[in-house]
Amino acid sequence: MEALAVMQGLTKVYGNTLAVNNLNLTIPRGKIIGLLGPNGSGKTTLIKMINGLLTPTAGSILINGMAPGPETKARIAYLPERTYLQSGMKVCDLVDYFEDFYADFDKNRAFSMLGALNIQPAAQLKTLSKGTKEKVQLILVMSRHADLFILDEPIAGVDPAARDYILNTIITNYDENASILLSTHLISDIENILDEVIFIRNGQVITHMPVDRIREEYGQSVDAYFRRVFAC
Amino acid sequence: MAWNLSADKPIYSQLVEIIQIQITSGKYKAGDRLPSVRELAAEASVNPNTMQKALAELERNALIITQRTSGRIVTEDTELIRQTQANLADEYIKNFFRAMKELGYSAEDILLLVQKTVNEESVSSH
């Protein structure tokens, strides 16, 4: 089967800053992939280009063989690092909103996850804590049957128990042909659920390999290896 | 509760060992059906592909058998299960001896210390 996403010579320049620099990357199907790199390494710029929110300065991105556009957006479920939801809306209205917006949205799955995390559907978003708002957003995104889930810092603001539930949801819900690209700094929390990791520095991929190969070759966890590679 | 995995060894090989222990300790007995890959992955809090890889290795060693209709079962070969247990025991004892020698004990000292522990345990359990 063809790769889910292929990037070639991908470059993004902001003024004098080279955010993504001639990057080549292939995202396979059926994998949970960690996108890891220090602050300012180009992770979010890369994610925004895959989502068609930024236009590359040079190079190409193909998702399911197509350039980013309405067809690819319909197949990508994206959790941005910042919220875009209207704080005056109720949780249940947001569920309806997502159902109208995305043909692949699974309302039952959303309500069952809200129930498991004790989030009242009638609550207004602005009355919820920061962590609960993040849970709502993540639930909405994970309730789609997308080909590619892109989660930018999905677990940073939630408590450890909810984090376990969310990771468990990711493990049990994603389908075999879908992939999850997950950007985070909390590597040790997620490394057991990853197939492979991508290390990015100065807008380029410096390592892309399976978690267990890092452990075999370097005798240390991805977290420890990251700290070594990116030591300040 | 996620399985207890250490950070410096490959995840899949640790999963193999934990499932071997679950079988030798009788959590899953000869001929028992195993949970699905997803269920085991969720229980262990690991990636399903990694769990799949661990189960494939156990299948290669014939400790687990895939049946077309009823999923994966534990082998009914009790001799193989006993052999797996013996291999694990052998490995643990070697690791223990290596660690004790690093502490500076001779093989005789180690045996004496083991005997002492055995005596203490038999006293305290009476």
Side-chain angles (χ1 to χ4, degrees), chain B residues 1 11 26 32 36 39 55 59 74 76 84 104 116-117 119:
Chain B
M1 188 61 204
I11 296 162
D32 276 1
S36 69
E39 286 165 341
L55 293 173
E59 272 175 52
V74 177
E76 300 197 19
T84 306
K116 185 164 162 265
T117 306
N119 294 343

Side-chain angles (χ1 to χ4, degrees), chain A residues 30-32 168 171-176 191-195 211-212 215-216 219-222, chain B residues 3 5-14 38 41-50 53:
Chain A
K31 305 274 184 191
I32 305 177
N168 216 308
I171 296 171
T172 45
N173 278 1
Y174 94 109
D175 101 63
E176 286 163 15
E191 88 171 75
N192 288 355
I193 73 153
L194 299 178
D195 284 288
V211 168
D212 268 351
R215 288 174 174 233
E216 271 163 33
Q220 55 190 178
S221 64
V222 173
Chain B
W3 295 1
L5 300 170
S6 83
D8 49 356
K9 287 190 287 186
I11 296 162
Y12 99 93
S13 58
Q14 298 183 63
R38 292 235 167 190
E43 187 190 312
S45 287
V46 298
N47 184 294
N49 294 323
T50 312
K53 192 177 163 193

Side-chain angles (χ1 to χ4, degrees), chain A residues 104-131:
Chain A
D104 61 1
F105 187 75
D106 183 339
K107 199 173 180 172
N108 293 332
R109 186 189 277 185
F111 280 121
S112 96
M113 286 198 263
L114 289 168
L117 290 176
N118 290 317
I119 299 169
Q120 300 302 323
Q124 268 192 338
L125 204 57
K126 64 181 169 197
T127 66
L128 302 175
S129 71
K130 180 170 177 283

Side-chain angles (χ1 to χ4, degrees), chain A residues 39-134:
Chain A
N39 303 111
S41 55
K43 300 187 296 289
T44 297
T45 300
L46 172 63
I47 285 173
K48 285 185 173 169
M49 286 194 284
I50 299 172
N51 279 298
L53 299 172
L54 283 174
T55 311
T57 310
S60 69
I61 305 178
L62 290 177
I63 298 137
N64 285 334
M66 293 178 287
E71 298 90 348
T72 66
K73 287 182 188 179
R75 305 303 310 140
I76 299 178
Y78 170 45
L79 179 76
E81 52 177 352
R82 288 197 190 84
T83 183
Y84 55 93
L85 301 172
Q86 295 287 331
S87 63
M89 285 179 86
K90 289 178 184 169
V91 173
C92 55
D93 294 339
L94 286 166
V95 171
D96 289 338
Y97 189 59
F98 263 66
E99 200 187 21
D100 285 346
F101 227 95
Y102 297 107
D104 61 1
F105 187 75
D106 183 339
K107 199 173 180 172
N108 293 332
R109 186 189 277 185
F111 280 121
S112 96
M113 286 198 263
L114 289 168
L117 290 176
N118 290 317
I119 299 169
Q120 300 302 323
Q124 268 192 338
L125 204 57
K126 64 181 169 197
T127 66
L128 302 175
S129 71
K130 180 170 177 283
T132 306
K133 270 184 217 147
E134 289 192 19

Side-chain angles (χ1 to χ4, degrees), chain B residues 95-107 109-110 113:
Chain B
N95 286 341
F96 167 72
F97 265 78
R98 197 175 306 124
M100 290 297 279
K101 281 181 177 159
E102 269 176 26
L103 279 178
Y105 289 102
S106 68
D109 291 340
I110 300 170
L113 285 169

